Amino acid sequence: MTTSFRVPKRLLVGNPMRSAQLGETLLPKRLALPVYCSDAISSNAYATQEILLVLALGGASMVLLTPWIALAVVTLLALVTLSYRQTCYAYPDGGGAYAVSRANLGRHASLVAAAALMVDYVMTVAVSIASGVENFVSAFPGLAPYSVELCIGFILVLTVMNLRGVRESGTAFAIPTYGFIISVYVMLGAGFWNALNGHTPVAESANLGFTNVSPAGAALIILILRAFASGCTSLTGVEAVSNGVPTFRKPKTRNASITLLLMGAMSIVMMGGIAVLSTMTNLHIADSMDELTNVPAGYEQRTVLAQLSAAVFGNNSLGFFAVQGFTTLILALAANTAFNGFPILASILAEDKYMPKQLGRRGDRLVFSNGIIILGSVAAGLIIAFNGSVTRLIQLYILGVFVSFTLSQTGMVVYWCRHARENGWTPKLIGSMLVNGVGALATAVVLGIVLLTKFTHGAYLVVIAIPVLFFVMLRIHRHYQRVSRQLMPKAAGITLPSRIHAVVLISQLNEPSLKALAFARAIRPSTITALRVDTNPVRTAKLVQEWSARDISVPLTIVTSAYRDLTEPVLDYLAKIHVGPRDVVQVFIPEYVVGHWWEQLLHNQSALRLKTRLLYMPGVMVTSVPYQLRSAEPYVLERPGADADVAVPPRSAVRPSAEAEPVPVPAVPPTLPGAPEPAAGDRPTRPGALIGR
Amino acid sequence: MTTSFRVPKRLLVGNPMRSAQLGETLLPKRLALPVYCSDAISSNAYATQEILLVLALGGASMVLLTPWIALAVVTLLALVTLSYRQTCYAYPDGGGAYAVSRANLGRHASLVAAAALMVDYVMTVAVSIASGVENFVSAFPGLAPYSVELCIGFILVLTVMNLRGVRESGTAFAIPTYGFIISVYVMLGAGFWNALNGHTPVAESANLGFTNVSPAGAALIILILRAFASGCTSLTGVEAVSNGVPTFRKPKTRNASITLLLMGAMSIVMMGGIAVLSTMTNLHIADSMDELTNVPAGYEQRTVLAQLSAAVFGNNSLGFFAVQGFTTLILALAANTAFNGFPILASILAEDKYMPKQLGRRGDRLVFSNGIIILGSVAAGLIIAFNGSVTRLIQLYILGVFVSFTLSQTGMVVYWCRHARENGWTPKLIGSMLVNGVGALATAVVLGIVLLTKFTHGAYLVVIAIPVLFFVMLRIHRHYQRVSRQLMPKAAGITLPSRIHAVVLISQLNEPSLKALAFARAIRPSTITALRVDTNPVRTAKLVQEWSARDISVPLTIVTSAYRDLTEPVLDYLAKIHVGPRDVVQVFIPEYVVGHWWEQLLHNQSALRLKTRLLYMPGVMVTSVPYQLRSAEPYVLERPGADADVAVPPRSAVRPSAEAEPVPVPAVPPTLPGAPEPAAGDRPTRPGALIGR
């Protein structure tokens, strides 16, 4: 990495953090709540609205059902919260759906859960950001045309924040989350207080009417189920706390469980309050303007929260801006739950060899940087593909959530059964199993409803994505296992090569070529030749002449290239000279390196291409002999003394000391006394030996 | 390149061609005319229209000036054609503006000409394609919304055709070019014949009126000059023949000169005919519908050629579709002039070290593939940026053309003067000089007019682009010169390294690591150590234990990485152990290679990053020891016997034989008898030596 690239990276993500700093990133409850519960709490900003939008398809009489559907949703929410509370206790190391189904339902179920969770995390970012921006432009209608750009901007900010590390985001998240909770509660309280005193607030859309009429029979049932399924978005994010148990301060499980219950209670009150208040204020909202009648000219439909806060506090009042501002912030930041969860899940999957191992490595700032970047990119892609529409994105959201809910809670039921088999049934255990059993059953039913009512509205994409992810993960696993079997060291060891044939690639007679020739002779190979690929007879003739004139004591071999390509003739030549299985060909490639990236563009990349191809030839090793041009600054030590160097002599099981104190490094690495080779004395040092003249 | 990539490439561009096939690509006159003159001839499809569009800004009375402005343009065209005819004779190796100004006006003028030409070539593609599509959608109005997509499609087709090679495109171009010439001449002839017989054709826009009124004073003059400048697009492409002299069949100069004169004559007749006929048919055309009155509902404005052919042959008649079809084809194909010219110019500049040298290499099919791809991409980018508007693109076109015209002809004047100084003045020489002098003067005046009247309409972009290209080329030249000075072999030669220290990077004890250790020991270094970067203490402990258990006779050195990074600790370690200037460190990197590109994604790229950084350390050579996994097929010979291998013994000036007959390669490359080293006998072959067990 050149300096020109390193400086902006450091400005953006901060200085690298030592591995030993990992312990510092534990969260107290007051910070864990905003970090892990912003998703679940913030989903109330759109859950009621999604119920209303579906019911509007059935006209005015159906919309009156809103509080009842909200009641069904909060009942389910209470069940799921209680169910997950038990997961916190049972899995103090993080009881994500993946871990729980892995332990109880086996490998395949756990991979389905993992695939569903990955889809969820992506959708959490996309939906939260889209809804946050929708609320933001409800307060500033002039920005409405730039919704998609605003979404991308928010995602970028989140990505960078998360690349900097968890702890900082915890602090940054506290104010918006608590601000949202307080401002919405104040709004609900003020609204109901006014209503009790006879001054019921009136929504700006109260005078509108609906064009649709109430359906009958099966269509009625389906509409109610669809509205319920849409309202279930309120449940998204409940699992975040149980995933995050290990990052809580001690006592971890107790703190996590309290946080979870707090979150459930706050969410239930909020969901119910918003549903009742929007019915009282006679709020009208619809997916398309065609569904509304009596619309005044220039009417711009705003979000449910914007209409409620305008009705309670007055439009463009301080209270209105507080609610809209905090809603935007908590939604934008709710996406952070996913930025916490996705990279950790991906790293666990990488550790288990179901995902590329690059996802399992912590970056400079102790976070799983690759996972963060992938999450941000995919979510941004979805926002662009769906043009930032919350309603369209939400169709993709709920399905994955309920797949992982159902699997996770079914896993818990199995967990309790196994527990009981080992220790016998106790009333407490039966109670625990019942709670999880009812939770699993309820979420499975909802999963069925979601699948039926949402399939054609976009959920089919998730029905495709989850199996695809599932098979990709299986395939990755098979690959890693096959590789690791092949890499396993055999008991027989490896035979030392008997002869080394050096081949030095030469294009012109210049300093880098002479250096490569000198280095090649220094290893004292059994045979040595210089190899020139003839693409231009005039230059080849010049090379031959210079070769003779300089009297170079290495033979020059010329192969012609009919197709002006360098790689194939070299490979053909090597394929011919490589004879015995115990022989090794060492190819020396002179390379000159320049300092600036733009200078790189001015030189052929043929060496890189050739080196890549040579890696596929058995019995060949490839040696680059670099020649640094003046613009290429040599490597300079940056953190002298930062590393501990410990030499381990063979035939002893000395463990390396883990502390970071610098240990002086000997000028020459230690050689083993008594080892038959290498021995420096074997080689006569010939100080005056020259190559070329 | 893996097979999965090679197969589609071969289908697209064909099999590779041998260098010896280069001579076959010479063009007879009947094919040279379409290849080199399609640009100049096809520009008549839009030149008159551009005059009309400008004059429409001055209303009906100004539009009547069209034939007079066309007369001025064709006079200039005749002058420039005669002027370039002399260039063909003076520079039989290709008298492009770059070569002529290089030879006569010096380096800086030639680089300005080169920059102007590169801009031209790009604009030729963009304008011709945009105008071709404009004519196409005049015939098929339903496709109008897809204009930009159609443009990109045409550019793609051209790029692929040109990647396949010149000769094939020559044949493909003959029919559209001759078809265009014939169909337009038939249209003009029929139109004038009918007019002579009293049935003057009437354009579909004859009943429209202009809203603008004639300007007065300076504004009038400026409008006339603007119209003239726009009409000068008719001259674009005249220089193509003189650039292409070397690709004509013998006698090259005579054939080129005849082709040029033919083209000039045909173009003059066509330009004049179209201008007169559009005045006779009372054609109305304007840049914006606001400038027209009396517009019927649903009126869609079509190109001048479409309106004329509809008026003469009847709308949607066979003649109408013939003219529109051939116009589209010749314009789409006129872009091919640039696809012939740009890559050759770029390769000449690369040869002279003003452009990256990758542009100077012929690809598989003997064409300069990189130049073709760059040209296609930039032109497509411009089409997208300017939304495919011919009128907006044309503002960028003419300036560059006249810069190169002026420089090229000024260069010719200097050429004749120098000729005269050497051989004395003759009347013929004075005549030649006068022709070029008048040409240079006229184009310089037009250049001034274009600069004044077009600057604010978009030409300022070219005024920026040409100096930028100029300075980039100077900078590239300086870089190559500095590098070549540094690479020059010094008289002193290079000292042989006295000691080699081997460092084998080890991450785990597996087969690739054991292979690397074996190979490292095989070169018998002065010292050897295995180096492990500790990022995970558990795995490091496991390695140490396995190391002892296997009793490996190479010491293991462990460096800790505080920041979980592999590269920096290795570099730090090497920086410390590297002591004397005569010592060399050889770093052995075990690498396992997989077969499929998607498998590559599953493995860390840290080896590649490390290798790149190591290239910047003085006194280090980097050796990759590859280990092929089963999915990685080893290299298989593809064209056995295709290459001639010639061994050149030192101390003799044997020239390599240039013919392509295969020469059997000895199983072991020839070593020099009597050379002090390398000698295989120095090394005891130890068949049973093992590393590990």
Side-chain angles (χ1 to χ4, degrees):
Chain A
M1 192 165 32
T2 52
T3 327
S4 56
F5 186 71
R6 203 185 294 133
V7 170
K9 182 182 171 193
R10 287 289 154 250
L11 283 176
L12 221 53
V13 303
N15 284 322
M17 292 168 81
R18 290 178 173 277
S19 304
Q21 285 173 278
L22 195 56
E24 293 175 20
T25 51
L26 292 181
L27 297 166
K29 279 201 295 295
R30 63 171 194 289
L31 287 182
L33 186 95
V35 167
Y36 289 115
C37 306
S38 55
D39 179 17
I41 291 177
S42 69
S43 50
N44 294 300
Y46 47 83
T48 307
Q49 176 168 324
E50 292 302 318
I51 297 177
L52 284 165
L53 288 173
V54 174
L55 291 178
L57 297 170
S61 62
M62 294 294 286
V63 170
L64 292 178
L65 291 176
T66 307
W68 301 104
I69 287 173
L71 182 63
V73 171
V74 297
T75 310
L76 187 65
L77 176 55
L79 265 176
V80 171
T81 306
L82 289 175
S83 192
Y84 267 105
R85 187 177 155 265
Q86 309 205 62
T87 310
C88 291
Y89 282 104
Y91 288 92
D93 291 337
Y98 173 67
V100 173
S101 21
R102 172 101 229 206
N104 301 299
L105 302 176
R107 195 164 81 109
H108 287 99
S110 73
L111 287 182
V112 173
L117 278 171
M118 281 192 282
V119 172
D120 278 8
Y121 282 129
V122 169
M123 295 314 303
T124 301
V125 176
V127 168
S128 301
I129 295 289
S131 172
V133 167
E134 196 183 21
N135 273 287
F136 184 68
V137 301
S138 285
F140 303 101
L143 292 173
Y146 307 106
S147 293
V148 173
E149 288 83 354
L150 283 170
C151 289
I152 306 297
F154 277 119
I155 289 178
L156 265 180
V157 170
L158 275 183
T159 305
V160 171
M161 280 178 63
N162 276 282
L163 288 174
R164 293 188 69 102
V166 172
R167 176 61 172 275
E168 290 169 16
S169 7
T171 319
F173 278 28
I175 296 168
T177 306
Y178 291 121
F180 174 75
I181 295 170
I182 293 168
S183 63
V184 170
Y185 277 180
V186 168
M187 177 190 82
L188 293 174
F192 290 126
W193 179 257
N194 290 345
L196 279 176
N197 292 313
H199 306 292
T200 310
V202 179
E204 62 199 40
S205 55
N207 295 323
L208 307 185
F210 289 110
T211 49
N212 296 317
V213 291
S214 176
L220 179 80
I221 304 291
I222 286 174
L223 197 68
I224 291 177
L225 290 178
R226 266 186 71 190
F228 171 71
S230 291
C232 285
T233 47
S234 169
L235 273 75
T236 57
V238 170
E239 77 291 351
V241 172
S242 66
N243 289 338
V245 182
T247 65
F248 276 75
R249 285 237 181 111
K250 286 175 184 169
K252 289 175 191 282
T253 48
R254 206 181 121 76
N255 282 337
S257 151
I258 292 172
T259 308
L260 181 65
L261 289 183
L262 260 173
M263 178 195 84
M266 286 194 294
S267 212
I268 287 170
V269 173
M270 203 178 277
M271 173 91 193
I274 293 173
V276 172
L277 193 62
S278 43
T279 310
M280 283 168 58
T281 57
N282 204 8
L283 189 146
H284 288 69
I285 193 167
D287 212 18
S288 145
M289 282 294 152
D290 300 342
E291 301 172 28
L292 297 172
T293 58
N294 202 18
V295 181
Y299 175 73
E300 284 282 343
Q301 183 169 280
R302 303 200 287 181
T303 60
V304 167
L305 272 187
Q307 295 196 35
L308 288 183
S309 59
V312 172
F313 297 124
N315 196 17
N316 292 337
S317 63
L318 197 66
F320 169 79
F321 281 116
V323 172
Q324 289 316 104
F326 284 125
T327 306
T328 304
L329 282 179
I330 196 180
L331 278 166
L333 301 183
N336 198 61
T337 310
F339 276 102
N340 277 290
F342 181 87
I344 290 175
L345 174 66
S347 81
I348 293 170
L349 287 169
E351 196 70 23
D352 293 351
K353 304 199 167 175
Y354 290 106
M355 278 275 144
K357 53 183 166 185
Q358 292 92 325
L359 292 170
R361 220 174 36 192
R362 286 184 189 271
D364 281 346
R365 298 281 295 178
L366 287 173
V367 291
F368 298 103
S369 320
N370 291 329
I372 291 170
I373 291 166
I374 290 173
L375 177 65
S377 315
V378 178
L382 279 172
I383 296 254
I384 293 169
F386 288 88
N387 204 19
S389 156
V390 177
T391 307
R392 289 175 62 200
L393 285 167
I394 242 167
Q395 314 297 336
L396 281 68
Y397 194 8
I398 323 173
L399 188 63
V401 176
F402 277 86
V403 168
S404 62
F405 278 170
T406 308
L407 283 171
S408 153
Q409 288 168 110
T410 309
M412 286 304 295
V413 173
V414 174
Y415 172 86
W416 296 123
C417 288
R418 211 179 46 213
H419 226 257
R421 265 203 307 279
E422 287 163 13
N423 311 312
W425 288 100
T426 63
K428 187 159 171 280
L429 222 137
I430 294 175
S432 297
M433 201 203 72
L434 277 179
V435 169
N436 285 128
V438 172
L441 198 70
T443 49
V445 170
V446 176
L447 177 61
I449 294 173
V450 169
L451 200 57
L452 282 173
T453 59
K454 299 270 176 189
F455 189 82
T456 52
H457 296 266
Y460 71 93
L461 287 172
V462 178
V463 175
I464 296 166
I466 290 179
V468 167
L469 276 171
F470 174 81
F471 283 110
V472 166
M473 287 192 284
L474 277 187
R475 190 81 196 261
I476 288 174
H477 192 68
R478 220 170 59 196
H479 170 79
Y480 279 132
Q481 284 204 310
R482 209 169 45 216
V483 167
S484 105
R485 266 198 308 276
Q486 289 185 48
L487 294 184
M488 192 122 45
K490 311 211 171 21
I494 298 243
T495 313
L496 273 191
S498 54
R499 289 152 59 96
I500 293 187
H501 306 291
V503 174
V504 187
L505 299 185
I506 300 288
S507 65
Q508 333 167 14
L509 198 64
N510 53 23
E511 284 281 289
S513 303
L514 290 177
K515 187 176 171 189
L517 284 170
F519 279 26
R521 284 179 55 184
I523 67 152
R524 297 165 71 216
S526 302
T527 68
I528 183 168
T529 188
L531 183 69
R532 148 91 184 166
V533 178
D534 173 26
T535 53
N536 179 327
V538 178
R539 292 208 190 132
T540 304
K542 182 161 165 276
L543 176 70
V544 171
Q545 197 196 341
E546 288 172 351
W547 204 264
S548 308
R550 277 216 166 223
D551 200 9
I552 294 171
S553 60
V554 171
L556 176 64
T557 303
I558 291 162
V559 293
T560 58
S561 167
Y563 300 93
R564 299 161 305 284
D565 164 54
L566 294 176
T567 309
E568 296 292 335
V570 171
L571 294 176
D572 289 351
Y573 176 81
L574 295 177
K576 284 175 199 157
I577 64 161
H578 183 236
V579 277
R582 302 259 330 270
D583 284 14
V584 172
V585 177
Q586 185 168 9
V587 180
F588 288 82
I589 303 179
E591 289 185 58
Y592 49 93
V593 289
V594 290
H596 306 288
W597 64 266
W598 63 266
E599 291 180 322
Q600 293 281 5
L601 297 180
L602 299 178
H603 298 276
N604 286 338
Q605 302 307 310
S606 39
L608 191 61
R609 206 157 43 225
L610 180 61
K611 282 195 284 184
T612 307
R613 291 293 300 279
L614 285 175
L615 292 182
Y616 288 85
M617 284 198 89
V620 165
M621 57 178 157
V622 187
T623 300
S624 300
V625 184
Y627 184 91
Q628 291 86 15
L629 292 177
R630 236 165 286 140
S631 69
E633 278 171 53
Y635 174 76
V636 179
L637 270 186
E638 285 179 347
R639 294 188 297 270
D643 307 320
D645 303 311
V646 183
V648 181
R651 286 172 205 271
S652 73
V654 175
R655 305 279 293 237
S657 67
E659 62 264 31
E661 275 111 54
V663 174
V665 186
V668 170
T671 53
L672 176 68
E677 61 164 25
D682 282 6
R683 171 188 306 268
T685 47
R686 293 172 303 107
L690 291 179
I691 190 151
R693 67 167 146 78
Chain B
M1 191 164 33
T2 53
T3 327
S4 56
F5 186 72
R6 202 185 297 132
V7 170
K9 183 182 170 192
R10 286 290 154 252
L11 282 176
L12 221 53
V13 304
N15 284 322
M17 292 168 80
R18 289 177 174 278
S19 304
Q21 286 173 277
L22 194 57
E24 294 174 18
T25 52
L26 291 181
L27 297 165
K29 277 201 295 296
R30 66 172 192 287
L31 286 183
L33 185 96
V35 167
Y36 289 115
C37 305
S38 56
D39 179 18
I41 291 176
S42 69
S43 51
N44 294 302
Y46 47 82
T48 306
Q49 176 166 324
E50 292 302 317
I51 296 177
L52 283 164
L53 287 173
V54 173
L55 290 178
L57 295 170
S61 62
M62 293 295 286
V63 171
L64 292 177
L65 291 176
T66 306
W68 302 104
I69 288 173
L71 182 64
V73 171
V74 298
T75 311
L76 187 66
L77 175 55
L79 264 176
V80 171
T81 305
L82 289 176
S83 191
Y84 267 105
R85 188 177 156 267
Q86 308 205 64
T87 311
C88 291
Y89 282 105
Y91 288 92
D93 291 338
Y98 173 66
V100 174
S101 18
R102 171 102 228 204
N104 300 301
L105 302 175
R107 195 164 82 108
H108 287 99
S110 74
L111 288 182
V112 173
L117 278 171
M118 280 191 283
V119 171
D120 278 7
Y121 282 130
V122 169
M123 295 315 302
T124 301
V125 176
V127 168
S128 301
I129 295 290
S131 173
V133 168
E134 197 183 20
N135 274 286
F136 185 67
V137 300
S138 286
F140 303 101
L143 292 173
Y146 308 105
S147 293
V148 173
E149 289 82 355
L150 283 170
C151 290
I152 306 296
F154 277 120
I155 290 178
L156 266 179
V157 171
L158 275 183
T159 305
V160 171
M161 280 178 64
N162 276 281
L163 288 174
R164 292 188 68 104
V166 172
R167 177 60 173 275
E168 290 169 16
S169 8
T171 319
F173 278 30
I175 296 167
T177 306
Y178 291 121
F180 174 76
I181 295 170
I182 292 166
S183 64
V184 170
Y185 277 180
V186 169
M187 176 190 83
L188 292 175
F192 290 126
W193 179 255
N194 290 345
L196 279 177
N197 292 312
H199 306 292
T200 309
V202 179
E204 63 200 38
S205 55
N207 295 324
L208 307 186
F210 289 109
T211 50
N212 295 318
V213 292
S214 177
L220 178 80
I221 302 293
I222 287 174
L223 197 68
I224 290 176
L225 290 178
R226 267 186 70 190
F228 172 71
S230 290
C232 286
T233 47
S234 167
L235 273 75
T236 57
V238 170
E239 77 290 350
V241 172
S242 65
N243 289 337
V245 181
T247 65
F248 276 75
R249 284 236 181 111
K250 286 176 184 168
K252 290 173 189 284
T253 48
R254 205 181 122 74
N255 281 336
S257 150
I258 292 171
T259 308
L260 181 65
L261 288 182
L262 260 172
M263 177 194 84
M266 287 194 293
S267 210
I268 286 169
V269 173
M270 203 179 277
M271 172 91 193
I274 293 173
V276 172
L277 192 62
S278 43
T279 310
M280 282 168 59
T281 57
N282 203 9
L283 189 148
H284 288 68
I285 193 167
D287 212 16
S288 147
M289 281 295 154
D290 301 341
E291 300 172 30
L292 295 172
T293 58
N294 202 16
V295 181
Y299 175 73
E300 284 282 342
Q301 183 168 279
R302 303 200 287 182
T303 61
V304 167
L305 272 186
Q307 295 196 36
L308 289 183
S309 59
V312 171
F313 297 124
N315 196 18
N316 293 336
S317 63
L318 196 67
F320 168 80
F321 281 118
V323 172
Q324 288 316 104
F326 284 125
T327 306
T328 304
L329 282 179
I330 196 180
L331 278 167
L333 300 182
N336 198 62
T337 311
F339 276 101
N340 276 290
F342 180 87
I344 291 175
L345 174 65
S347 80
I348 293 170
L349 288 169
E351 196 71 21
D352 293 352
K353 304 199 167 176
Y354 289 106
M355 277 276 146
K357 51 182 165 182
Q358 292 92 325
L359 291 170
R361 219 173 37 190
R362 285 183 189 272
D364 282 346
R365 297 283 294 179
L366 287 172
V367 292
F368 297 102
S369 321
N370 291 329
I372 291 170
I373 291 166
I374 290 174
L375 176 66
S377 315
V378 178
L382 279 172
I383 296 252
I384 293 169
F386 287 88
N387 204 19
S389 157
V390 177
T391 308
R392 289 175 64 199
L393 285 167
I394 241 166
Q395 315 296 335
L396 280 69
Y397 193 8
I398 323 171
L399 187 63
V401 176
F402 278 87
V403 169
S404 63
F405 278 170
T406 308
L407 283 171
S408 154
Q409 287 167 111
T410 310
M412 286 305 294
V413 173
V414 174
Y415 171 87
W416 296 124
C417 289
R418 211 181 44 214
H419 227 259
R421 263 204 308 280
E422 287 162 12
N423 310 314
W425 288 100
T426 63
K428 185 157 172 283
L429 222 139
I430 293 175
S432 297
M433 201 203 70
L434 276 181
V435 170
N436 286 129
V438 172
L441 198 68
T443 51
V445 169
V446 175
L447 177 60
I449 294 173
V450 169
L451 200 57
L452 282 174
T453 59
K454 299 269 176 191
F455 188 82
T456 54
H457 297 266
Y460 71 94
L461 286 172
V462 178
V463 175
I464 296 167
I466 290 178
V468 166
L469 276 170
F470 175 80
F471 282 111
V472 165
M473 287 192 284
L474 277 187
R475 189 80 198 262
I476 288 174
H477 194 69
R478 220 172 57 196
H479 169 79
Y480 279 133
Q481 284 204 311
R482 209 170 44 216
V483 167
S484 106
R485 266 197 309 275
Q486 289 185 49
L487 293 183
M488 191 119 49
K490 311 212 170 20
I494 297 244
T495 312
L496 274 191
S498 53
R499 287 153 62 93
I500 293 188
H501 305 291
V503 174
V504 187
L505 300 184
I506 300 288
S507 65
Q508 339 167 11
L509 197 64
N510 53 22
E511 285 281 288
S513 304
L514 290 178
K515 187 176 172 187
L517 284 169
F519 279 26
R521 284 180 56 185
I523 68 152
R524 297 165 72 215
S526 303
T527 69
I528 183 168
T529 189
L531 183 69
R532 147 92 185 166
V533 178
D534 173 25
T535 52
N536 179 326
V538 178
R539 291 206 190 134
T540 304
K542 182 162 166 274
L543 177 69
V544 170
Q545 197 195 340
E546 289 173 349
W547 204 264
S548 307
R550 278 214 169 226
D551 200 8
I552 295 170
S553 60
V554 171
L556 175 65
T557 303
I558 290 163
V559 293
T560 58
S561 166
Y563 300 93
R564 299 161 305 284
D565 165 55
L566 295 175
T567 310
E568 296 291 335
V570 171
L571 295 176
D572 289 352
Y573 176 80
L574 295 177
K576 284 175 198 157
I577 64 160
H578 183 234
V579 278
R582 303 260 327 272
D583 285 12
V584 171
V585 176
Q586 186 168 8
V587 180
F588 288 83
I589 304 180
E591 289 184 60
Y592 50 92
V593 288
V594 289
H596 306 288
W597 64 265
W598 63 266
E599 291 180 321
Q600 292 281 6
L601 297 180
L602 299 178
H603 297 276
N604 286 337
Q605 304 306 312
S606 38
L608 193 60
R609 204 157 46 224
L610 178 61
K611 282 195 282 185
T612 308
R613 290 293 300 278
L614 285 174
L615 292 182
Y616 288 85
M617 285 198 86
V620 166
M621 57 178 158
V622 186
T623 300
S624 299
V625 184
Y627 184 91
Q628 291 86 14
L629 292 177
R630 236 163 288 139
S631 70
E633 278 171 53
Y635 173 78
V636 178
L637 270 185
E638 286 179 345
R639 294 189 296 269
D643 307 320
D645 303 310
V646 184
V648 181
R651 286 172 206 271
S652 72
V654 175
R655 303 281 291 236
S657 69
E659 63 264 30
E661 276 111 52
V663 173
V665 185
V668 170
T671 52
L672 175 68
E677 62 164 24
D682 281 6
R683 172 188 306 270
T685 48
R686 295 172 302 106
L690 292 179
I691 191 151
R693 67 167 146 76

